[in-house]
Amino acid sequence: MPLQALLFLRDPEALRVTRQVFDSSNILCQVGTSPEQAIDLLNKRRFDAVVVDCDDLEGGKQVLSQLRSSPSSKRAMAFAIINGGTSVRQAFDIGANFVLDKPLTADRFARTLRAAQGLMKREQRRYFRNTIETEAAVSMPDGKEMRGRILNLSEGGLAVKLPVKLEAATAVRVRFFLPGGLRIEAKAEITWNKENQGVGIRFMHMDAKMQRDLEQWLSHRFEAQNATHVNATTRSR
């Protein structure tokens, strides 16, 4: 799954530089056309990076300030581009992780992106949903146990198809095996029920070794999938 960036820029040189650097890092870009459209995208889609012109584009600071309250992209790495109107401190105060002055150069932006990319990939792995062909056993507070097919799995939880609906916030225990026989067990809670989409379960507490095993297994799957995408993208160029 490639990293995704939203650009809210109009300066032709800044657009050229950011697109060039993101493209060389296999990061997909989308350009916001207005503050309203950019905020709508942030609310509906998950972006890993957001680049905003705070001074030379009307609504830039509004987009940056709204980023941290967006349900989908609030943990994105935010790059603020300033040009004398906004101070570095002001940019940090409204949500920027990195601040760059104009004129923006490819070398400077590439160095900044390298500093952020590890955090972006780590955050993407947290949200990575992996399909897995196995069942989970879900134990209720009264001791009853149900089994269902896992629909997807992440570091933070899983979606599972169960025979009955469960109330949100119900405390459960969940148990399953990863391919290769690694056993995973956690205290958890129900977060959502959706017809034809199963039940969402969030892990609340897990043994440290099991947590490491799960993270390492998902990381290997994530890197393999990412490498496949990068190779496919390279061949298509």
Side-chain angles (χ1 to χ4, degrees):
M1 183 71 176
L3 294 168
Q4 309 265 344
L6 176 66
L7 313 182
F8 190 57
L9 305 167
R10 286 294 177 278
D11 183 320
E13 183 61 13
L15 266 174
R16 184 192 67 79
V17 165
T18 52
R19 279 177 154 164
Q20 173 189 321
V21 173
F22 279 135
D23 185 60
S24 67
S25 299
N26 295 300
I27 297 174
L28 302 181
C29 296
Q30 180 163 348
V31 178
T33 58
S34 69
E36 295 76 19
Q37 188 246 9
I39 291 169
D40 187 57
L41 284 169
L42 291 173
N43 288 334
K44 291 180 178 177
R45 289 177 48 191
R46 198 181 76 80
F47 290 93
D48 304 287
V50 179
V51 184
V52 176
D53 188 329
C54 290
D55 289 337
D56 297 331
L57 184 56
E58 185 177 353
K61 283 187 280 194
Q62 178 190 358
V63 171
L64 185 58
S65 65
Q66 289 291 312
L67 170 63
R68 296 308 172 202
S69 60
S70 73
S72 302
S73 300
K74 61 185 176 183
R75 298 179 70 91
M77 289 292 108
F79 301 81
I81 311 300
I82 60 176
N83 194 27
T86 303
S87 70
V88 172
R89 173 47 54 194
Q90 287 172 329
F92 282 131
D93 286 345
I94 58 177
N97 300 102
F98 301 91
V99 181
L100 300 104
D101 294 299
K102 288 185 179 181
L104 189 63
T105 66
D107 182 62
R108 191 152 50 95
F109 187 63
R111 288 199 306 270
T112 305
L113 180 60
R114 282 195 294 272
Q117 213 161 353
L119 296 171
M120 291 161 61
K121 288 183 177 179
R122 176 70 185 88
E123 192 63 25
Q124 189 186 45
R125 280 196 295 270
R126 285 184 67 245
Y127 287 92
F128 174 58
R129 300 294 188 265
N130 183 79
T131 54
I132 177 174
E133 294 294 328
T134 191
E135 283 192 341
V138 180
S139 300
M140 304 298 293
D142 61 5
K144 291 182 180 178
E145 183 176 281
M146 291 178 286
R147 289 183 172 272
R149 179 172 58 89
I150 295 178
L151 303 174
N152 62 63
L153 172 66
S154 71
E155 288 184 12
L158 53 81
V160 60
K161 191 74 171 177
L162 293 175
V164 298
K165 286 188 175 182
L166 299 176
E167 291 294 324
T170 300
V172 297
R173 292 191 70 92
V174 61
R175 184 179 73 255
F176 58 93
F177 288 88
L178 295 172
L182 289 172
R183 183 172 181 269
I184 303 295
E185 184 172 347
K187 292 181 180 179
E189 71 172 11
I190 305 301
T191 55
W192 51 262
N193 283 283
K194 294 181 181 178
E195 191 171 353
N196 300 321
Q197 295 185 45
V199 175
I201 298 177
R202 177 169 58 217
F203 301 139
M204 303 300 291
H205 177 74
M206 187 182 296
D207 172 81
K209 182 182 182 305
M210 290 184 180
Q211 183 72 49
R212 287 194 301 272
D213 288 342
L214 176 61
E215 289 176 0
Q216 289 172 4
W217 186 84
L218 285 168
S219 179
H220 292 154
R221 294 294 293 262
F222 173 82
E223 294 300 338
Q225 183 172 313
N226 212 35
T228 299
H229 175 84
V230 169
N231 290 337
T233 301
T234 302
R235 286 196 300 270
S236 68
R237 288 176 178 171

